[in-house]
Amino acid sequence: MQKNIRNFSIIAHIDHGKSTLADRIIQECGAISDREMTSQVMDNMDIEKERGITIKAQSVRLNYTLDGEKYVLNLIDTPGHVDFSYEVSRSLASSEGALLIVDSTQGVEAQTIANVYIAMDNDLELLPVVNKIDLPSADPMRVLGEVEEAIGLDCTEHNLISAKTGLGVKDLIESIIKRVPAPIGDETAPTKALIYDSWFDNYLGALALVRVYDGSIKKGQTLRMMNTKVEHQVLSLMYPHPIKRQDTLEIKTGEIGIVVLGLKTLDGIAVGDTMTDAKNPTSEVIDGFEPAKPFVFAGLYPIETDKFEDLREALNKLKLNDSSISFEPESSLALGSGFRTGFLGMLHMEVIKERLEREFDLDLIATAPTVVYEVLKRDGEQIIIQNPSELPEPNYIDTIFEPYVKATILVPDEFLGNVIKLLNDKRGIQLKMDYLGARVLLEYDIPMNEIVMDFYDKLKSTTKGYASFDYEPVGFRPGNLKKLDVRVAGDIVDALSIIVPEDRAVSRGREFVKALKELIPRQLFEVAVQASIGSTIIARETVKSMGKNVTAKCYGGDITRKRKLLEKQKAGKKRMKAIGKVNVPQEAFMAVLKI
């Protein structure tokens, strides 16, 4: 019955115990036997298990009996990493409640605050839960005080648990049943359901994970997608489960389920779209969620140039499972044909590259990640630049606008000086500084370009790993930026072009050419490695030529014989320098990316 359904998500910062708690709740409800149970049972990708992180939000339907009454719990485990926060927003849109997990030793972190705001935007019932109370350094009361102070959430009703040992999990399930509201919806109205995830199954074709708001979905029913206007017949219906999905004939109001449509592609199924009955459609669309906007762009090129079509096919298949990727073909003189691919952040880029290499057996090289710039030209035209090589000549540009993000950083006060210095080096603008006990909450506006490469690594090393970091985009602002090109033997290597602030161009250019000098193999002629802005050379290194002793065969006679041979060699080197081409090895690209 509808009044006995509870839809809830688990939200928290990275490593605060979301997936472990999901395991305990599944076990407590008896959905998986002890023999079938593995740790992080909801994380079903190899890369998730190896890295110990959740990448895709996963759902499971559980049955629980309390005081003789049967309840259905639909649990959604969400990722904690900032790069995957769009998965969190989709999961919360289909829930009525959320468990806010906070680590009893670490307290409130940046991502805790970010996820709470998403939950509040969706008007969810928030249940504060303090985890890891079995640890010797646990201080649950201090942590609850932090939650009240930093978030303003009333913590009089709270749960103290240990997801690892299972302590307090039974009481938590009872709290969920008592405090999370049942879904509201009209069972007699026309079908209205929200698609909040989709993926591709090799045997069943395209699958859509839906939350039914009104009416119901029945096997054999013809459904219409309200945005794309496409119609499909329902082949079968299932309830989600990490190991054995359960078939059903109907998904009712307030329930979550998987709809099998048997499609070969996901073209007609857009995440965030509304499904309705084709014969008796509903009048209004459910508010979906903003499509994920890529922030970081990089070129992906196959090391073997004949694998270009394989890469295209692999990206198409991955897009079915991860709708946040965008890609379009591009070609580079240095690297051949590849794709300009958009990601949500650096971890997302690493994960996608690793999945492409593992799941599709490809060897890839990624160019330096860049962000999207808006360029206002002198003639009034406004263009969007994803690749530095597309930037017009300086004399055509009026203003370059770069994307900024609002960064929230929580750091122990002993490292505050280090963090402020790092943020100033990254052109950050301070908005706020609050003391929460022994920790400081900082809010800064930072150019996206500055955090895309190594900001997270530097933040972790300057704070011994104790800082936490979250960001959200805040729009474009004008910047004093220039395109830095790298020339090898006079030719611009387009894959190494980057956009940098003008005041840092010279130092960045020097670093580039110094690294490349060591990596470019010596030729029979000397090779100039230069960094330039427009036509102005700002840094140069020279790769010396290989020597060849052409006078070895002269073992006597007049000195003019030797001089003639040396002059001839000199002229030959001059000619080779004029027409010679230098192949930049793959290692050089990798090394420059590390800078």
Side-chain angles (χ1 to χ4, degrees), residues 552-564:
K553 58 188 179 196
C554 292
Y555 44 84
D558 193 6
I559 185 67
T560 53
R561 289 181 65 199
K562 285 189 176 178
R563 197 168 288 146
K564 189 176 164 189

Side-chain angles (χ1 to χ4, degrees), residues 485-517:
D485 288 318
V486 174
R487 298 166 185 261
V488 176
D491 292 337
I492 291 177
V493 184
D494 54 355
L496 292 180
S497 298
I498 57 166
I499 294 173
V500 290
E502 190 170 17
D503 56 345
R504 304 197 183 171
V506 175
S507 59
R508 192 66 70 85
R510 281 195 190 124
E511 287 175 24
F512 260 41
V513 294
K514 211 173 258 180
L516 275 174
K517 179 193 172 187

Side-chain angles (χ1 to χ4, degrees), residues 196 208-212 237-240 251 255-259:
Y196 73 94
L209 186 60
V210 301
R211 154 76 201 271
V212 180
L237 298 167
M238 293 178 280
Y239 290 132
I251 301 172
E255 291 191 318
I256 283 169
I258 299 168
V259 181

Side-chain angles (χ1 to χ4, degrees), residues 43-146:
D43 293 345
N44 51 21
M45 271 190 261
D46 290 344
I47 191 168
E48 288 180 313
K49 288 197 188 303
E50 280 168 30
R51 286 178 177 242
I53 57 173
T54 302
I55 293 168
K56 289 287 292 175
Q58 299 289 349
S59 306
V60 62
R61 177 191 168 99
L62 306 165
N63 297 311
Y64 192 78
T65 306
L66 179 64
D67 302 334
E69 205 164 340
K70 290 184 177 172
Y71 291 90
V72 167
L73 309 178
N74 289 312
L75 177 156
I76 306 172
D77 179 26
T78 63
H81 207 284
V82 56
D83 281 14
F84 307 113
S85 56
Y86 79 103
E87 290 274 342
V88 180
S89 62
R90 296 198 329 214
S91 307
L92 295 181
S94 44
S95 309
E96 274 80 35
L99 306 183
L100 176 67
I101 313 288
V102 189
D103 186 324
S104 64
T105 59
Q106 293 178 328
V108 173
E109 303 274 17
Q111 197 64 27
T112 318
I113 297 171
N115 286 337
V116 165
Y117 289 144
I118 303 174
M120 286 176 172
D121 288 346
N122 285 295
D123 294 332
L124 300 191
E125 180 69 37
L126 274 169
L127 278 66
V129 180
V130 179
N131 190 15
K132 307 189 186 181
I133 58 166
D134 57 316
L135 296 179
S137 56
D139 188 353
M141 289 306 137
R142 175 185 63 81
V143 169
L144 286 167
E146 261 186 37

